[in-house]
């Protein structure tokens, strides 16, 4: 069972210079930064799948009362959903949780978007009417692209009821899902996830939650993850139902989260918020051979220096040093380290000055160096945009302008016009670029290889898209003799698939489209044989893809009018001998008679009958072709030697 909790109510900063709080009839004032830092960087989301009379519910209440600054969400699950009827114990238990300041979410299964939206909303309505929950956890969330609208619809419905929503795919999601619900559980499994697996650069940690099963309490992990997710739950429970008990260290976990300030540090004191005027810096040193240093600076979007942002320096998963920017970390020349900078309140990491957008980066030291992280101070980073140019070319690469196209995103028109056309794309957004045909110009393919006239793209850099068009050209089939001169009477056909485009005597001219695939077949005239094409290929059928008007030349060889035919006699042992009588006839006329070895002149294409005789112990066995009939009929087209085998 995968779960999470609401993340939007936990990091509320009072940005007035002084905050006033009414306590017991007295007005108490406190510095706004101190009030903001009293809320930890993390909240705890608890799959509280026990009955309300269980001691686990009172333990949650006691932990919340002991650490009131820690946001806690309890997911309740009466019966794999709200159950068949209202349970008074749940009513009282939920009221007690909420009175202590715990946010309560109701569990609803979506069957990976297999349940209808109406049935899911009906379960939501039962939670609202029976138990007055604060939010809904949608479990078994489908994270495949195409289901975003399903969950966005549920999120909007829950929001319309004044509730918060969470989805639980239990693993990573495409960025298109972020924002469909108020938060997503991007990891639910045994062991701790790697930081890279749960990192979504440019998105607020409040969008994400992590649940790790069968693990000890790891305060280092809690500190590291606080800049990446808004909600966390570590438990040493495992097995088929790790949610029927609380972690053995539950109170210690809440205490650890309570001590994590907005910078990600685990400390008993709160750090000051980032400031463009602060001069605080942290330096680590090393006396090892080859020691070099990395300076880490932070600036706002205008390039103004910022200080007081939390940074961590690690190697191979081991934390080496931490500090507030501007910071200097020591390392060894040539070795690779991991550097992470954290968000704080409205100070959100946007990019590194060299363009990288992941707040955690690998650094291989080569001498002293400086890296600068760029932050937004408004709570969100401006959208990154890239120019996209759509142009058109003929199939052969020659430039072609004036082809009409449209660009849409999410069904809304973005741009339209004639090539070449440029538009500005927002990173992460999906665009559909559709080009039209015009007259005899027909779309063939994109520079990406895609053959659909509508191309879907998600640009992450400056992009050039080229649409290639087919145009009508002439495909001419000609003929020539291998000995020089012309050939009369040859024919050809040009086909596309099973459709014949043109056929007839050579020379043959067919109108074809550039980029199309065509099969050209030639047939020699009487007395000739196909030799080869001009490019050397020797099959009379050839597939071509013309990119311009093209002439193909088929070469034919004139067949001889007469050829020599020789008849030999050979013993079965393979030794040749002579003196066996034979006769040759054609059309009933005797052409030649005599003893082997005998040679006669035959007309090409004419049929001849050769009859072998026996003599004493020399008895005909078979021809070299294997035939055992002493009478052999042939139609020679070239000089031929026939061998008659005899048993002696």
């Amino acid at each position: 069972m995968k779960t999470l909790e609401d993340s939007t109510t936990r990091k509320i900063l009072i940005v007035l210079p002084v905050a006033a709080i009414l306590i017991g009839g007295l007005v108490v004032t406190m510095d706004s930064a101190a009030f903001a830092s009293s809320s930890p960087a993390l909240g705890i989301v608890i799959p509280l799948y026990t009955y309300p009379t269980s001691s686990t519910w009172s333990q949650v209440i006691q932990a919340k009362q002991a650490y009131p600054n820690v946001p806690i969400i309890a997911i309740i699950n009466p019966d794999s959903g709200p159950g068949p009827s209202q349970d008074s114990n749940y009513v009282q238990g939920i009221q007690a949780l909420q009175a202590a300041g715990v946010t309560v979410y109701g569990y609803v299964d979506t069957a990976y978007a297999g349940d209808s939206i109406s049935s899911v909303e009906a379960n939501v309505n039962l939670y609202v009417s029976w138990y007055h929950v604060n939010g809904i956890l949608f479990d078994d969330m489908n994270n495949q692209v195409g289901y975003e609208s399903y969950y966005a619809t549920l999120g909007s419905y829950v929001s319309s009821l004044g509730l918060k929503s969470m989805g639980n795919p239990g693993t990573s999601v495409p960025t298109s899902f972020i924002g469909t619900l108020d938060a997503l559980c991007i990891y639910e499994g045994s062991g701790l996830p790697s930081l890279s697996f749960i990192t979504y650069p440019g998105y607020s940690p409040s969008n994400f939650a992590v649940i790790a099963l069968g693990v000890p309490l790891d305060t280092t992990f809690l500190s590291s993850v606080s800049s990446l997710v808004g909600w966390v739950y570590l438990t040493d429970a495992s097995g088929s139902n790790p949610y029927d008990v609380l972690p053995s260290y539950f109170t210690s976990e809440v205490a650890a989260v309570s001590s994590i300030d907005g910078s990600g540090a685990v400390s008993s004191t709160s750090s000051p918020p980032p400031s463009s005027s602060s001069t605080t810096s942290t330096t680590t040193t090393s006396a090892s051979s080859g020691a070099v240093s990395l300076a880490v600076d932070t600036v706002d979007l205008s390039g103004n220096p910022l200080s007081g942002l939390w940074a961590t320096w690690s190697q191979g998963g081991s934390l080496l040093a931490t500090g507030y920017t501007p910071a200097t970390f020591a390392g060894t020349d040539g070795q690779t380290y991991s550097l992470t900078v954290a968000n704080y309140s409205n100070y959100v990491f946007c990019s590194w000055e060299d363009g990288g957008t992941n707040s955690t980066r690998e650094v291989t030291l080569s001498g002293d160096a400086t890296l600068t992280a760029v932050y937004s101070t408004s709570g969100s980073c401006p959208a990154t945009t890239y120019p996209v140019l759509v142009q058109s070319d003929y199939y052969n690469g020659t430039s072609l302008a004036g082809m009409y196209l449209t660009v849409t995103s999410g069904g809304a028109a973005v741009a339209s016009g004639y090539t070449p056309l440029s538009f500005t794309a927002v990173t992460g957004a999906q665009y559909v670029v559709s080009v039209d045909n015009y007259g005899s110009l027909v779309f063939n393919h994109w520079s990406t290889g895609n053959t659909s006239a509508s191309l879907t793209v998600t640009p992450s850099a400056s992009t050039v898209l080229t649409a290639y068009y087919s145009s009508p050209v002439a495909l001419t089939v000609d003929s020539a003799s291998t000995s020089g001169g012309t050939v009369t009477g040859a024919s050809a056909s040009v086909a596309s698939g099973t459709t014949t485009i043109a056929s007839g005597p050579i020379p043959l001219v067919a109108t074809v489209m550039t980029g199309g695939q065509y099969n050209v077949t030639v047939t020699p005239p009487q007395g000739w044989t196909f030799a080869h094409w001009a490019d050397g290929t020797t099959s009379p059928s050839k597939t071509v893809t013309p990119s311009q008007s093209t002439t193909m030349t088929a070469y034919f060889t004139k067949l001889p009018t007469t050829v020599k035919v020789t008849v030999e006699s050979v013993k079965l042992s393979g030794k040749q001998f002579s003196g066996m009588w034979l006769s040759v006839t054609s059309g009933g006329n005797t052409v030649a008679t005599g003893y082997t070895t005998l040679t006669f002149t035959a007309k090409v294409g004419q049929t001849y009958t050769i009859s072998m005789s026996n003599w004493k112990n020399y008895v005909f066995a078979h021809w070299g072709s294997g035939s055992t009939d002493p009478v052999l009929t042939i139609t020679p087209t070239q000089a031929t030697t026939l061998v008659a085998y005899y048993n002696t």
Side-chain angles (χ1 to χ4, degrees):
M1 174 81 195
K2 298 160 250 186
T3 53
L4 306 93
E5 168 199 30
D6 171 25
S7 62
T8 60
T9 60
R10 64 184 186 85
K11 291 171 63 179
I12 303 176
L13 295 183
I14 299 179
V15 296
L16 296 174
V18 176
I21 302 177
L22 182 62
I23 301 177
L26 298 176
V27 176
V28 180
T29 62
M30 59 175 67
D31 179 85
S32 61
F35 180 82
S37 63
S38 67
S39 268
L42 282 175
I44 294 181
V45 54
I46 307 167
L48 192 61
Y49 298 162
T50 56
Y51 198 68
T53 55
S54 166
S55 62
T56 54
W57 286 55
S58 60
Q59 289 179 55
V60 172
I61 292 172
Q62 291 166 8
K64 178 63 178 177
Q65 291 171 338
Y67 300 96
N69 67 326
V70 176
I72 295 180
I73 293 178
I75 312 284
I76 59 107
N77 186 8
D79 188 9
S80 295
S85 61
Q86 186 185 55
D87 187 323
S88 60
N89 286 325
Y90 269 96
V91 173
Q92 295 172 14
I94 291 169
Q95 290 174 349
L97 289 170
Q98 291 173 329
V102 176
T103 302
V104 179
Y105 276 34
Y107 172 96
V108 176
D109 194 341
T110 66
Y112 300 99
D115 287 347
S116 67
I117 288 179
S118 60
S119 67
V120 175
E121 290 177 348
N123 280 328
V124 171
N125 293 337
L126 291 178
Y127 272 116
V128 172
S129 62
W130 289 348
Y131 301 123
H132 305 293
V133 295
N134 307 106
I136 298 293
L137 182 281
F138 294 110
D139 195 27
D140 289 334
M141 179 177 180
N142 194 320
N143 67 343
Q144 299 300 307
V145 172
Y147 290 96
E148 295 91 334
S149 61
Y150 177 94
Y151 291 99
T153 299
L154 294 177
S156 296
Y157 181 75
V158 168
S159 179
S160 71
L161 300 176
L163 308 180
K164 295 299 180 181
S165 60
M166 291 189 178
N168 183 28
T171 186
S172 60
V173 295
T175 55
S176 53
F177 278 86
I178 300 174
T180 57
L181 301 171
D182 292 319
L184 302 174
C185 181
I186 54 175
Y187 178 86
E188 181 197 32
S190 298
L192 297 174
S194 66
L195 297 184
S196 60
F197 183 82
I198 58 174
T199 297
Y200 287 79
Y203 291 94
S204 172
S206 63
N207 287 295
F208 310 110
V210 164
I211 296 177
L213 310 174
V215 298
L217 180 59
D218 189 332
T219 57
T220 300
F221 175 81
L222 292 174
S223 175
S224 299
V225 82
S226 65
S227 65
L228 303 177
V229 303
W231 302 96
V232 69
Y233 183 64
L234 306 185
T235 178
D236 51 4
S238 58
S240 60
N241 185 10
Y243 304 134
D244 59 356
V245 295
L246 291 174
S248 62
Y249 48 73
F250 177 68
T251 302
S252 297
E253 181 176 353
V254 179
V257 169
S258 175
S259 66
I260 299 175
D261 62 22
S263 68
V266 179
S267 173
S268 60
T269 59
S270 299
S271 63
S275 168
S276 59
S277 61
S278 172
T279 58
T280 303
S281 65
T282 302
T283 303
T284 65
T285 60
S286 173
S288 61
S289 175
V292 293
S293 64
L294 175 73
V296 183
D297 293 332
T298 45
V299 299
D300 64 18
L301 294 173
S302 300
N304 300 313
L306 294 174
S307 62
L309 276 306
W310 186 252
T312 61
W313 183 243
S314 59
Q315 185 179 49
S318 298
L319 187 64
L320 301 179
T322 60
Y324 297 99
T325 61
T328 302
F329 297 120
T332 302
D333 204 20
Q335 292 200 14
T336 300
Y337 300 85
S338 180
L339 171 66
T340 301
V341 291
N343 296 335
Y344 180 90
S345 183
N346 287 334
Y347 292 76
V348 178
F349 171 83
C350 293
S351 68
W352 296 96
E353 207 166 48
D354 60 8
T357 56
N358 194 328
S359 61
T360 297
R361 63 183 295 168
E362 298 298 305
V363 180
T364 301
L365 294 177
S366 179
D368 295 338
T370 299
L371 289 175
T372 301
V374 180
Y375 277 76
S376 166
T377 59
S378 63
S380 62
C381 297
T384 304
T385 60
Y386 301 104
V388 178
L389 171 65
V390 185
Q391 59 188 23
S392 54
D393 284 352
Y394 287 102
Y395 185 83
N396 63 5
T398 304
S399 179
L400 169 66
M403 303 306 296
Y404 188 77
L405 68 109
T406 60
V407 182
T408 61
S409 181
V414 174
S416 62
Y418 298 92
T419 58
L421 181 144
S422 294
F423 68 93
T424 299
V426 177
T427 183
Q430 198 173 73
Y431 297 86
V432 178
V433 182
S434 303
V435 293
D436 289 351
N437 298 329
Y438 180 77
S440 61
L441 297 174
V442 178
F443 171 80
N444 186 276
H445 69 280
W446 291 96
S447 49
T448 61
N450 193 292
T451 56
S452 171
S454 293
L455 179 67
T456 300
V457 295
T458 306
S460 59
S462 298
T463 304
V464 176
L465 301 172
T466 303
Y468 288 92
Y469 279 81
S470 295
S471 56
V473 293
L475 176 61
T476 303
V477 184
D478 208 347
S479 62
S481 171
T482 53
S483 60
T486 60
V487 178
T488 302
S491 61
S493 66
V494 179
S496 175
T498 58
T499 302
T500 299
I501 305 300
S503 63
I506 295 175
L508 176 71
V509 180
T511 300
V512 297
M513 299 297 289
T514 55
Q517 212 173 59
Y518 300 91
N519 183 262
V520 181
T521 303
V522 293
T523 303
Q526 184 70 30
W528 294 77
T529 183
F530 174 79
H532 59 81
W533 292 97
D535 64 2
T537 54
T538 56
S539 172
S541 293
K542 183 177 179 64
T543 299
V544 294
T545 304
S547 60
Q548 58 189 0
S549 293
T550 304
T551 297
M552 302 174 60
T553 302
Y555 284 84
F556 298 94
T557 298
K558 179 72 174 176
L559 295 173
T561 57
T562 61
V563 294
K564 295 293 185 181
V565 179
T566 299
V567 183
E568 299 177 345
S569 53
V570 176
K571 295 179 180 180
L572 291 178
S573 63
K575 184 177 180 180
Q576 186 176 350
F577 70 99
S578 61
M580 300 307 298
W581 180 260
L582 69 132
S583 64
V584 182
T585 61
S586 179
N589 299 316
T590 299
V591 175
T593 58
Y595 299 96
T596 57
T597 300
L598 181 146
T599 300
F600 67 93
T601 300
K603 293 181 179 179
V604 172
Q606 188 167 314
T607 301
Y608 295 84
T609 302
I610 302 166
S611 303
M612 301 299 300
S613 300
N614 298 330
W615 187 75
K616 294 185 178 182
N617 292 333
Y618 290 81
V619 179
F620 176 83
H622 61 83
W623 291 98
S625 64
S627 173
T628 58
D629 190 339
V631 178
L632 180 67
T633 299
I634 62 171
T635 305
T637 58
Q638 59 187 3
T640 305
T641 296
L642 303 173
V643 179
Y645 286 86
Y646 277 80
N647 187 344
T648 59

